[in-house]
Amino acid sequence: MKDKIGYLAIFGGPPSFQEKLHVGRPNIGNRQRILERINDMLDRRWFTNNGPYVQDLERRIAEMVGVKHCIAMCNGTVALEIAIRALGLRGEVIIPSMTFIATAHALQWQEITPVFCDIDPRTYNLDPNLVERMITPRTSGIIGVHLFGRPCDIEALAKIARRRKLKLLYDAAHAFGCSYKGHMIGSFGDAEMFSFHATKFFSTFEGGAIVTNDDDLAERIRLMKNFGFAGYDNVIYIGTNGKMSEVSAAMGLTGLESLQEFVSINRRNYKQYKRELEGIPGIQFMAYDESEQCNHQYIVLEVDEQTIGISRDQIVEILHAENILARRYFYPGCHNMEPYRSHFPHAGLVLPETERLVRRVLSLPTGTAVGSKEISGICQIIRLVVEHDSEVRERLKEVKRSI
Ligand SMILES: Cc1ncc(COP(=O)(O)O)c(C=O)c1O
């Protein structure tokens, strides 16, 4: 535990942690069960193309989410691209800029223009009043992102989509196992996408899924993710290869058996962070609605530089030196990255809340690889830095001068 500024690694002390602490280090379920499943798969010699593990995983996820269809895919980005195509989106689609770049790229990849809309600073999600204003005759849909697992204003977005005859898709990459008004995320809009990337609390190494209650849409997605084949030698759509492999599904089936354990560990971590960080001036802890189900896979803070005199980026630098790999999710916002920065050089003018948040938000390590001792160490460093802000500022200047 460090109790003096001079002990901080950025000022020459030893790092607090020998091993790097990642924001999302993979959770592994029962290792023996994964290996048994892989062994069975090898015996069966059925590695992909809608194998028994993929079918079982799809059935279980559909049941858990409470939807008619789950189509497992090779990753969340391809799942999103296929859903966009299967829904017939074109022209312009309204999305937040405060999201992982894949949300925007999945559209632009298909020459559909992402139109960046500002967010509600209380939820970090699309502000429905602003969505309404971004609609043009070219708009074909809205993609809401349940950022950090907190649901969008689903009722308001559904009303807009219905009234303006727009498709409504959700990027639920962060929200597997979360609920909105008592119903599981995955059951809203025309369809929702999950990512099961290794950094997510539930992983299939790489993987993702589309979930929907729309029979026709599900059928189109199933065909499109398999090159458009409707049977032997019969292709009826343009398609791609979006299939999930059996080894990924084996990991997923095993992970599902430990899902509640992963969530309880995340929740325990979340509560400890909350306890230890609450009340620090200039540090605002992102809270979750306790009445909803939540995977708690992100620990998010807002750093108010005006109050503490130290920027979010300086805190990141200090933490990285301690081997705490805090992340600036989702800096600098999609509109500030190419090709969108060149396409829409003035987008920031209509995104004041996004511009503000991408400079303040910070994600901290959690998951089964992070224990109570590590969390106390991380919180103590943040507290130490905030309590000695002016000294830290001066010493950071010295470090800069000496480089
Ligand atoms: C919000 C969001 N959308 C889409 C994706 C893409 O998912 P994948 O990595 O599975 O392709 C991710 C993350 O990884 C994400 O965080």
Side-chain angles (χ1 to χ4, degrees):
M1 290 279 191
K2 298 197 175 182
D3 55 4
K4 290 204 172 54
I5 292 300
Y7 297 157
L8 289 175
I10 199 156
F11 303 136
S16 297
F17 301 99
Q18 292 298 312
E19 246 190 83
K20 294 189 190 309
L21 294 178
H22 295 266
V23 161
R25 203 160 180 216
N27 292 326
I28 300 168
N30 182 325
R31 195 178 285 243
Q32 194 53 38
R33 279 298 286 143
I34 298 170
L35 295 175
E36 277 166 18
R37 283 192 162 110
I38 293 176
N39 232 344
D40 288 349
M41 179 199 79
L42 293 174
D43 288 343
R44 250 195 319 270
R45 292 176 194 254
W46 191 351
F47 296 169
T48 185
N49 290 2
N50 204 29
Y53 287 158
V54 165
Q55 292 180 39
D56 198 12
L57 184 68
E58 289 180 340
R59 224 175 4 252
R60 284 172 199 236
I61 291 175
E63 199 178 286
M64 173 186 147
V65 172
V67 288
K68 283 162 81 177
H69 307 280
C70 168
I71 304 110
M73 305 244 194
C74 56
N75 61 55
T77 306
V78 168
L80 207 49
E81 285 169 7
I82 293 176
I84 286 165
R85 196 159 194 123
L87 275 169
L89 297 186
R90 68 205 132 68
E92 296 175 357
V93 171
I94 297 168
I95 66 168
S97 173
M98 173 114 174
T99 176
F100 183 58
I101 195 70
T103 321
H105 279 354
L107 291 163
Q108 192 66 51
W109 192 252
Q110 308 183 71
E111 300 191 353
I112 299 165
T113 305
V115 172
F116 299 114
C117 178
D118 213 3
I119 49 181
D120 180 337
R122 288 165 306 177
T123 63
Y124 304 172
N125 291 325
L126 280 178
D127 181 335
N129 292 318
L130 301 176
V131 167
E132 190 93 55
R133 291 190 217 153
M134 309 300 275
I135 298 171
T136 74
R138 277 171 48 77
T139 309
S140 62
I142 302 166
I143 303 180
V145 180
H146 307 301
L147 202 76
F148 303 132
R150 296 198 302 184
C152 292
D153 188 342
I154 287 172
E155 276 174 9
L157 291 177
K159 262 192 211 153
I160 296 171
R162 218 172 13 251
R163 192 156 27 82
R164 306 297 293 260
K165 298 194 170 31
L166 301 174
K167 299 289 184 196
L168 181 56
L169 179 60
Y170 285 106
D171 176 336
H174 301 174
F176 187 57
C178 300
S179 69
Y180 171 79
K181 300 201 172 173
H183 298 279
M184 297 310 285
I185 296 285
S187 54
F188 299 103
D190 291 293
E192 303 207 48
M193 174 280 270
F194 294 126
S195 164
F196 306 141
H197 183 256
T199 51
K200 304 294 186 287
F201 87 107
F202 167 76
S203 131
T204 58
F205 305 122
E206 288 273 3
I210 296 292
V211 279
T212 180
N213 282 314
D214 182 330
D215 299 340
D216 294 338
L217 179 66
E219 184 56 19
R220 278 198 301 282
I221 291 173
R222 275 200 186 285
L223 295 173
M224 284 182 175
K225 68 117 203 239
N226 187 27
F227 310 101
F229 274 109
Y232 282 126
D233 312 323
N234 182 24
V235 170
I236 60 167
Y237 289 122
I238 183 165
T240 184
N241 184 352
K243 291 174 275 131
M244 177 182 275
S245 74
E246 282 292 274
V247 76
S248 283
M251 179 71 175
L253 285 170
T254 315
L256 277 188
E257 288 160 4
S258 297
L259 203 72
Q260 284 323 308
E261 185 195 327
F262 298 157
V263 172
S264 342
I265 291 170
N266 282 348
R267 188 171 166 72
R268 186 199 66 200
N269 290 349
Y270 162 76
K271 289 197 150 180
Q272 187 182 346
Y273 270 118
K274 198 167 171 204
R275 245 188 349 263
E276 298 196 20
L277 290 173
E278 251 178 359
I280 303 182
I283 300 283
Q284 197 183 317
F285 193 83
M286 188 191 90
Y288 291 94
D289 181 347
E290 293 288 335
S291 67
E292 298 289 353
Q293 288 195 56
C294 182
N295 58 38
H296 292 289
Q297 72 176 318
Y298 293 98
I299 303 292
V300 181
L301 308 181
E302 273 185 53
V303 177
D304 180 4
E305 189 178 350
Q306 304 300 328
T307 308
I308 57 176
I310 295 178
S311 69
R312 182 271 315 265
D313 291 358
Q314 287 171 320
I315 293 184
V316 168
E317 241 182 293
I318 292 166
L319 293 175
H320 276 222
E322 304 290 344
N323 279 336
I324 303 161
L325 303 187
R327 298 292 306 272
R328 305 184 294 177
Y329 290 150
F330 284 96
Y331 179 81
C334 298
H335 68 288
N336 286 317
M337 294 201 251
E338 294 296 354
Y340 315 108
R341 186 170 53 192
S342 298
H343 288 184
F344 316 109
H346 307 299
L349 295 176
V350 293
L351 302 169
E353 293 299 344
T354 304
E355 288 274 325
R356 199 180 66 90
L357 268 173
V358 295
R359 284 175 175 73
R360 291 163 63 96
V361 165
L362 174 66
S363 297
L364 296 174
T366 186
T368 55
V370 180
S372 156
K373 232 174 74 199
E374 283 87 11
I375 294 174
S376 284
I378 296 168
C379 295
Q380 210 200 337
I381 287 163
I382 295 174
R383 200 172 271 284
L384 183 71
V385 168
V386 173
E387 280 169 5
H388 298 84
D389 57 320
S390 47
E391 198 186 335
V392 171
R393 243 184 346 261
E394 285 314 306
R395 292 193 68 158
L396 282 174
K397 280 188 206 152
E398 282 168 30
V399 171
K400 283 273 174 296
R401 275 197 293 271
S402 66
I403 297 173

